[in-house]
Amino acid sequence: MASVTIIEFGGTEHEVEIEPGKSLMQIAVDNSIPGIDADCGGACACGTCHVIVADAWFAKTGQTSDEETMMLGMTPERAETSRLACQIETSDALDGMVVQLPEFQM
Ligand code: FES
């Protein structure tokens, strides 16, 4: 089973199964991971699905669109490898990826 690990701000780790074609946000929500609010339902319009991708995996998460970059610009805890989880399409190629959640979503 291909999986990703989502680490809450407090350090609690969740290993969730990848469902190819679904966004990382959708997988997190489906697995009731706390800390991903996803208020806009994946429309890249709320910034409440912010994740910080482990350095080694960042390039594999795909291109960050201008719209996503703009939303991330409003995120106080933005890091070099920040992404919006709703904009990361998962596939088996992301097996083993680790992402960290910020302390707060917007
Ligand atoms: S769910 Fe709203 S920006 Fe990702």
Side-chain angles (χ1 to χ4, degrees), residues 67-85:
E67 196 179 15
E68 182 182 353
T69 299
M70 196 181 74
M71 289 306 303
L72 285 169
M74 295 188 262
T75 306
E77 296 173 77
R78 184 180 186 178
E80 296 254 327
T81 59
S82 286
R83 292 291 316 265
L84 295 178

Side-chain angles (χ1 to χ4, degrees), residues 25 38-49 84 86:
M25 176 279 280
D39 290 339
C40 76
C44 196
C46 70
T48 64
C49 63
L84 295 178
C86 68

Side-chain angles (χ1 to χ4, degrees), residues 15-88:
E15 186 177 349
V16 294
E17 189 173 349
I18 287 173
E19 295 178 57
K22 277 194 178 180
S23 71
L24 180 61
M25 176 279 280
Q26 195 60 57
I27 291 171
V29 169
D30 288 351
N31 285 276
S32 304
I33 306 299
I36 298 260
D37 298 338
D39 290 339
C40 76
C44 196
C46 70
T48 64
C49 63
H50 176 207
V51 296
I52 299 160
V53 180
D55 289 352
W57 288 95
F58 184 67
K60 295 192 170 99
T61 60
Q63 198 69 32
T64 305
S65 68
D66 291 347
E67 196 179 15
E68 182 182 353
T69 299
M70 196 181 74
M71 289 306 303
L72 285 169
M74 295 188 262
T75 306
E77 296 173 77
R78 184 180 186 178
E80 296 254 327
T81 59
S82 286
R83 292 291 316 265
L84 295 178
C86 68
Q87 301 302 303
I88 299 175

